[in-house]
Structure formats: structure tokens, C-alpha cells
Amino acid sequence: MRTATKARTLISPPKRSRIGDIRMRVVYRGLAVAAAVAAAAVAVVVVLPSEPDEVVAGPVTAPPAAQPSSGPSAPASPSASASPSSSASAPPSETVTPAAPAAQVTPTPGTSLAPGYTAMEALYADPRVPKLTAKVKRMRLPAPSRRVTKDRRSGLAVPKLPKPWKTYGPAPFTTRQVLPRPRGGAVRGMFVTCPLPIMEQKSPRDTALLAARWTLNHHPKGARITWLASQPVKRGWLLVYRVSYGKRSSRAAVVVVDGGMSKPGLAFVTVPDAQRKQWSDIARVASGVRVLG
């Protein structure tokens, strides 16, 4: 019995070592196979060339914007076609007929500038305002008045006109003087100042022309201008004119003067024919507007 036990003890360790060797050989074989497969995959990736039609994927973008009608149509981008069927349904060739150029619009009185027109071009196209020619002469100006009204917003000092003129609520202007309303008449004399309400031009003369056109907004409908006098004044320009509307008329003047503010100052006076006794006051205004100092 002792001999048999010893024999088992001597035999058992060799069996366990043989089994372990077998297991290790299996593991090594598996690793070798895996390594061979990986190497083959790398070889395929390296050796096989990319397909000629292969496109690198990119971010999805919105379809290209439609071309303007006045220009040629742009070729379609490859990424713009969703599928072969959608591209097959499109006509083989498609042309876009250029749109006819838009007709130039003539500005009309009382409206904003038409596209492509400058302020002076709109002035010249306005039938209410005739061209200012060299035939329009200067006027003799009286001595300026000593009594003044100060407009600090426009930087101007202007005459304070005698009775029957009186100071009135200025809005929407910065100063205002008016004549009493005539009996049975809706139009009365008015003398106002304010910062220039229109776009300043390169020359004071052109600025004054635009200002005179603007004053038609404060005359009866259908009013038209006839020039009476045009001349430079210190740091500005003076225009005197008649405004006709139907059977009635007014005398008026604008004085545009650079008062040292962000915009030039405007003085505007108008007196209807029903109050013609005060027409001489227009000359007082023309001579009395100066820079506030």
C-alpha cells in the first residue's frame, strides 16, 4: 500500500504539467492567429487603393441661394443633388431669361426721393420749382433791426418784427412770429426759425434752393414758386420768391446761415397777398438774420 501511494504521488505532478503545457500551446496558437489576421487587415488597407469616385464626407449645407434674375444661372453643386432619381427628373438644360431693366422712376412732388436720384435731381424734376438763372437779380437790403429774437438751437439771431406781428407757440419750429389771421382768410403771415430740416448740400445756394422747395409744405396745395431775388449773405444764402396758388399768392424768403451748430440754421418768412402791407417786413428778415454771438 505504501508503495502504491508513493507511485501516485510521483505520477500526479507530471500530469498537471503536461496539461498546463497543452493549455499554453493553445493560447499561443490563438494569439498567433489573431496577430496574423490583424496583419492581413493592415495589408489590405495599405495595399488596396481608394475608389476613384470616393468623396470625403462633409457637413450638410443648405442648398445654394437662387441666382438673381439679371445674371446667368450657376451650375448645380454635387452636394445639392439628393439622389440620382431627382437629378434625372430635371430637364437636361435650363436657361434663365434675364429680367428687363427696371424703368427709371421720376420723383413726384411731396414724395421721397426715387431710387437713383439725388436731392438736387429731384429738385430739378419738380415742376413747382423753376430753374434759378442769372436773370434773377439781387435785392437792396435795409439796415438790420436792433431788436432780435435768439434761436440757440440753430445758432441764429433774427429780427423781432414790430406790431402787428406777435410771438406765437414755436412748435414744431424753434421760434415763431405770426400776423393776426385776416378776416375771412385761412392763410396768414408767419416767420419761423429752426435747424435746417433738409439735407445740407455742398453749396449754400443749393441748400437754400432745397429749403425753398421744402417751404411749399407750408403753403396751400398747388403752390408754385417764381424767383424774385437770389444772393449770398454772410455765411449763407438768401432767396426771395413769390408763391402762387390759384388766384392768390404770397411773398416769401428763406435765409440759410451756418450758425456754428451741427446743422445750418433756417429762417423762413411768408406773407399772403391779403396782408400785403407787411411785405416790406420780408426785407427786414432778409437783412437781419445773423449768427448768434
Side-chain angles (χ1 to χ4, degrees):
M1 294 295 292
R2 290 179 180 176
T3 303
T5 302
K6 289 179 179 180
R8 288 193 207 97
T9 303
L10 293 173
I11 293 169
S12 297
K15 286 183 178 179
R16 286 197 297 269
S17 64
R18 284 196 297 272
I19 294 172
D21 292 341
I22 293 170
R23 290 177 177 173
M24 291 303 294
R25 284 196 294 271
V26 171
V27 171
Y28 291 151
R29 288 175 182 172
L31 290 174
V33 171
V37 171
V42 172
V44 170
V45 171
V46 173
V47 174
L48 290 179
S50 60
E51 293 295 331
D53 296 330
E54 184 178 358
V55 178
V56 178
V60 177
T61 59
Q67 297 293 323
S69 59
S70 59
S73 58
S77 172
S79 60
S81 57
S83 65
S85 60
S86 62
S87 62
S89 60
S93 62
E94 182 178 358
T95 57
V96 178
T97 303
Q104 195 174 27
V105 181
T106 302
T108 56
T111 63
S112 58
L113 289 181
Y117 275 80
T118 66
M120 295 305 296
E121 287 172 340
L123 171 73
Y124 297 142
D126 193 335
R128 303 174 302 170
V129 184
K131 186 176 180 181
L132 184 60
T133 66
K135 294 181 179 180
V136 179
K137 305 299 182 180
R138 297 188 178 198
M139 69 177 294
R140 295 183 61 182
L141 299 178
S145 173
R146 294 183 179 182
R147 300 181 61 209
V148 298
T149 295
K150 297 179 180 180
D151 180 358
R152 300 190 183 279
R153 282 189 58 195
S154 59
L156 301 182
V158 298
K160 186 175 179 63
L161 299 175
K163 292 182 179 180
W165 292 91
K166 62 180 180 179
T167 302
Y168 195 73
F173 309 100
T174 47
T175 71
R176 176 157 55 173
Q177 301 174 56
V178 298
L179 288 171
R181 194 179 301 278
R183 185 175 301 178
V187 181
R188 62 176 172 175
M190 179 177 69
F191 172 35
V192 299
T193 63
C194 62
L196 189 68
I198 47 90
M199 185 182 299
E200 182 182 5
Q201 302 300 300
K202 292 182 179 180
S203 74
R205 176 180 177 275
D206 288 348
T207 303
L209 283 169
L210 289 179
R213 178 178 183 247
W214 171 83
T215 65
L216 292 178
N217 297 325
H218 299 278
H219 286 100
K221 186 177 180 180
R224 301 173 71 95
I225 284 176
T226 302
W227 301 118
L228 300 178
S230 172
Q231 61 203 71
V233 295
K234 187 175 181 180
R235 302 180 67 172
W237 201 271
L238 161 69
L239 290 173
V240 182
Y241 49 100
R242 180 171 61 250
V243 183
S244 303
Y245 38 90
K247 296 180 179 180
R248 310 306 301 265
S249 67
S250 295
R251 294 285 177 92
V254 292
V255 187
V256 176
V257 173
D258 182 2
M261 311 303 286
S262 59
K263 300 184 71 174
L266 170 68
F268 161 51
V269 60
T270 180
V271 180
D273 54 7
Q275 297 174 318
R276 65 181 67 237
K277 290 182 179 181
Q278 269 65 51
W279 277 357
S280 61
D281 291 332
I282 294 176
R284 292 173 184 251
V285 171
S287 65
V289 177
R290 64 179 185 267
V291 176
L292 183 62

